[in-house]
Amino acid sequence: MSPQTAVLKKDITPQGSDYEIVRRAIEKISLDYRDQPSLEDLAEEVGETPTGLQKLFTRWAGLSPKAFLQAVTLDHARRLLDSGLPLLETSLELGMSGPGRLHDLFVTHEAMSPGDYKTRGAGLTIRYGYHPSPFGTALIMATDRGLAGLAFSDPGEERDAFADMSSRWPNARYVEDMAATGPHAARIFNPALWRHDQPLHVVMIGTDFQVRVWEALLEIPMGKARTYSSIAASIGAPGASRAVGAANGANPLSFVVPCHRAIGKSGDLTGYHWGLTRKRAILGWEAGQVAS
């Protein structure tokens, strides 16, 4: 049995995780946001009491289901657009204004050379491991030079996440090594360890254009968002919104390189490679971090 098969046969679902219940509540919000579902509606959907869901959701996100709904609904984003204010740049009910960098995971990065990218990972050893996170199971991949990949999966989807990520660098050698990836998981998902003087080092494996887009994403503070067109303009390619969207979707460092903070010109949250529900979850969780 290969190491990959062995790890996928393990029960790697985080014990006692709130995310599965929260995920179902967010799905309800995503489907019915126009009706602004009540706490009672959400609780019935997930089989919890309203009080129980309120406490659980607030413990997970740092804000109530109602505040979360206000933070990430399409209608809210459109109201900001209609007011003529910079998109998601103004104060929200949650206190999402101010120096967002105080809440950010600090990242330093380097990019592999175009020649390295063209070899599709040949000569590269990538160590991987599965770890619990606030957004489901996280698949973390790292090289000797730094974090190279972060993906998400729900129970039963771990194999698909590995196939997706490994297909990006098919000629690399993959080694299961949770001891190597564990410290990355601890740093990434624990805001208490986000320190300016101890940045997380990542290595970007992509085309020159993709790397430029990913670098632009790193400039978006937590609690903020940018449209694809504004990102395109920031990298000197104002007519390349579609290409920016494609590079955004190909980002191999989800959450760390915050592709979830890119949205459509209309204010639509648009898609997310690991699911729109998870994108809403991450944005809501970040809103809670900023609010706290």
Side-chain angles (χ1 to χ4, degrees):
M1 182 182 297
S2 69
Q4 175 192 350
T5 302
V7 74
L8 292 175
K9 286 184 177 292
K10 298 175 185 176
D11 180 6
I12 58 176
T13 304
Q15 296 298 313
S17 171
D18 296 339
Y19 179 68
E20 178 58 25
I21 293 175
V22 171
R23 181 185 65 79
R24 290 163 56 198
I26 293 171
E27 283 183 338
K28 174 74 171 176
I29 291 172
S30 299
L31 292 171
D32 299 340
Y33 66 87
R34 291 184 179 85
D35 297 328
Q36 298 287 289
S38 66
L39 178 62
E40 290 72 22
D41 292 334
L42 295 173
E44 181 179 359
E45 180 72 19
V46 302
E48 284 277 346
T49 65
T51 300
L53 179 61
Q54 179 88 354
K55 291 181 178 179
L56 184 153
F57 199 105
T58 303
R59 181 172 68 248
W60 176 86
L63 70 169
S64 69
K66 181 179 179 180
F68 176 92
L69 176 64
Q70 293 172 341
V72 299
T73 58
L74 173 61
D75 284 349
H76 184 83
R78 282 179 172 162
R79 284 199 299 274
L80 289 176
L81 281 174
D82 291 343
S83 71
L85 298 173
L87 186 61
L88 298 185
E89 297 268 330
T90 55
S91 298
L92 304 185
E93 295 88 344
L94 306 173
M96 289 174 63
S97 61
R101 288 299 179 197
L102 294 177
H103 308 275
D104 262 344
L105 172 64
F106 295 98
V107 173
T108 61
H109 70 278
E110 64 174 288
M112 298 189 76
S113 70
D116 288 334
Y117 174 71
K118 288 179 181 178
T119 67
R120 308 295 299 280
L124 191 66
T125 295
I126 297 180
R127 302 184 184 278
Y128 71 93
Y130 295 90
H131 302 272
S133 85
F135 317 110
T137 299
L139 168 60
I140 292 180
M141 293 181 162
T143 73
D144 292 339
R145 294 163 63 178
L147 181 74
L150 196 163
F152 293 107
S153 65
D154 292 322
E157 297 176 354
E158 296 86 2
R159 188 183 302 277
D160 293 337
F162 184 91
D164 183 312
M165 293 297 287
S166 59
S167 69
R168 300 163 189 249
W169 315 296
N171 298 325
R173 173 175 172 260
Y174 291 91
V175 178
E176 179 195 354
D177 190 348
M178 294 182 67
T181 56
H184 290 295
R187 287 280 309 282
I188 292 165
F189 299 114
N190 184 357
L193 300 179
W194 296 357
R195 295 180 53 178
H196 184 270
D197 59 341
Q198 295 181 6
L200 177 71
H201 191 75
V202 305
V203 56
M204 297 179 176
I205 309 174
T207 67
D208 176 67
F209 183 83
Q210 287 174 331
V211 169
R212 287 163 58 201
V213 172
W214 301 338
E215 289 173 335
L217 293 173
L218 284 172
E219 296 300 317
I220 307 174
M222 183 181 289
K224 309 283 187 176
R226 298 285 188 274
T227 63
Y228 297 108
S229 57
S230 69
I231 294 170
S234 73
I235 64 171
S241 295
R242 288 184 180 274
V244 165
N248 192 76
N251 169 33
L253 290 155
S254 296
F255 185 74
V256 171
V257 174
C259 53
H260 56 276
R261 297 178 194 162
I263 62 177
K265 189 173 182 178
S266 67
D268 194 334
L269 294 184
T270 65
Y272 185 61
H273 191 79
W274 305 109
L276 186 56
T277 295
R278 188 168 277 108
K279 180 172 183 173
R280 291 184 184 276
I282 295 173
L283 289 171
W285 184 87
E286 289 188 339
Q289 296 299 316
V290 174
S292 65

